[in-house]
Amino acid sequence: MADEKQKAGSAEDSGGAAGKVTRRSFLSHLGAAGVAATASPLLAAAPAAAAMPEASEAASDAKIVGSVPVSLRVNGKVLKLQVDPRATLLDTLRESAGLTGTKKGCDHGQCGACTVHVNGRRVNSCLSFAVMHEGDEITTIEGIGQPGNLHPMQAAFVEHDGYQCGYCTSGQIMSAVALLKEPCGPTDADVKELMSGNICRCGAYPNIVAAVQQVRLRS
Amino acid sequence: MDLFQFSRAESVAQAVAAGAESPTAQQGAQVRFVAGGTTLLDLMKLNVERPQRVVDINKLPLDKVERTADGGLKIGALVRNSDLAHNEMVQKDYAVLSQALLSGASAQLRNMATTGGNLLQRTRCVYFRDTAMACNKREAGSGCSAIGGFNRMLAILGTSEQCIATNPSDMNVALTALEATIHIQGAKGERSVPIHDFFVVPGSTPQQENVLEPGDLITYVTLPAPAAGSKSVYLKLRDRASYEFALASAAVVATVEGGRLKRVRIAMGGVGTKPWRMVEAEKALEGHAVNEGTLHKAAEAALRGAKPQSENGYKVELAKRCLMYAVKQATQAV
């Protein structure tokens, strides 16, 4: 251990300026570069949306070729949108409604990160076009609880440490909340079976199951 | 994904009229109906499906499960897999169907996927899903990368020189054992097709997977009345315990009388290019007592025509054991 520390120390020293680079500063630089790299093509591709709001308003008057009007009820609020028919419910929630709590993982219905409730039932929002949900009641993670007023399932995930990186968490919680109203046996195995559509690459499964079971027992 | 024109069908007739404008209802269709979307969107994102028109059929009144006059069941094409699996009549009289549905996909997907859509679920063959690879099913005449390639999951029954893709559905296997009938509204009227004739083997036209013609819309599925005293079971063998496609699965509907199998229907999944009815195995078992001897005979008869590929030879033995174990389960005294 001491040897390793010494080696690391000497490497930093010999690196001169590199000696001031910490893990945190390195990652934050990387993050800034990443944002610049991804933001620039977007800005270039969509000057109307970024620089000329009046142009994008005009576009929303059904001027986009092939676009379709749709009205969704999202977390109790009516959203009237003009969307590309190719836009999934997931992308529409994230990009048009600004509700980024719902995550895009695989985008093919395999990971469950995009789980939301449609008319009270959990679905993969990546496998549904937004235009298919005219009049539907959509609930996202933002709609079930807020900081300071957490849903019991959210509180249980915090209590049981049901996550590491957090990317799958909103999907896990949306699945778990829906599970409370579904036919499900009492055992951990029953919960695992009904949660198998939500993948956690960090492997927080035991803690997720514990959180779900605690809420089921108390409700 | 290519841009497409989106519309909502207000009636079955409207959907049929829209569908009839496509030159084909099979691979390469220019008009697609969307219900659950779980297969269609997946494949559109991969550019495997490239419809110019997508017709949303979710508002059509095809979402009921009802008793028929003869004591059978009529299942609307838009009944979601989760609703069908938890339907009381299905759980009581057609347990194999409920079990098969619940063994497939995830709770989220089952909430979306429909009865009609599940019948049309496409293969999971990796070459079909990858437009950079040759696949006769996706692009007729381009070749089959799966033969001699990664074919561990693929079929050993009903294959051809052109295609060895597996039908991935669990529901279809149960419906085959239950001798379901598929009801179709088409441009030329209504017709009913027994499930055995609904799916076709690939032969020299793997892009053709079923008998649907342009404009055809599956409206409902009917099941005959359950045989008195019958018991049914779905057994699924896979690489992990949940949320995985079958390596081999068996649906068995059996009636035992006086220690002998009076009537048995067996279908298998994960091994065939379509849900595979095991008629030879049924013949080997009917009229006999269920024991190791008769089970082995039935399993041998079932897999006699199997043609293993470079990586899926294990499926022959796996399928035999799957069949034997499922028949045992279905015939054990309750």
Side-chain angles (χ1 to χ4, degrees), chain A residues 65-66 68-70 84-86 88 107-112 115 121-134 136 171 175 182-183 192-194 196-199, chain B residues 1-4 6 8 34-38 40-46 54 56 58-59 80 82-83 86 102-103 105-112 124 129 238 241-243:
Chain A
V65 178
V68 184
V70 67
D84 186 314
R86 291 171 292 187
T88 58
D107 209 24
H108 284 274
Q110 298 173 4
C111 76
T115 303
R121 293 157 63 115
R122 52 173 159 158
V123 300
N124 301 97
S125 61
C126 74
L127 286 185
S128 208
F129 292 123
V131 288
M132 291 162 61
H133 293 286
E134 177 69 37
D136 282 348
S175 252
E182 293 171 4
K192 287 179 189 175
E193 169 59 33
L194 283 185
S196 70
N198 292 80
I199 312 296
Chain B
M1 194 188 297
D2 296 343
L3 187 60
F4 55 84
F6 177 86
R8 296 181 187 102
V34 67
T38 53
L40 187 65
L41 267 82
D42 179 30
L43 294 179
M44 284 174 73
K45 289 178 185 193
L46 296 170
V54 172
D56 184 348
N58 283 297
K59 297 283 186 274
R80 309 287 153 173
S82 51
D83 293 332
H86 293 126
L102 292 176
S103 76
S106 66
Q108 292 98 309
L109 291 168
R110 292 192 293 268
N111 276 342
M112 307 171 79
R124 303 298 296 189
R129 295 170 59 80
R238 43 189 162 171
S242 183
Y243 202 15

Side-chain angles (χ1 to χ4, degrees), chain A residues 46-64 82:
Chain A
M52 296 185 293
E54 67 280 7
S56 74
E57 268 168 37
S60 71
D61 292 332
K63 294 270 164 56
I64 306 168
Q82 187 76 25

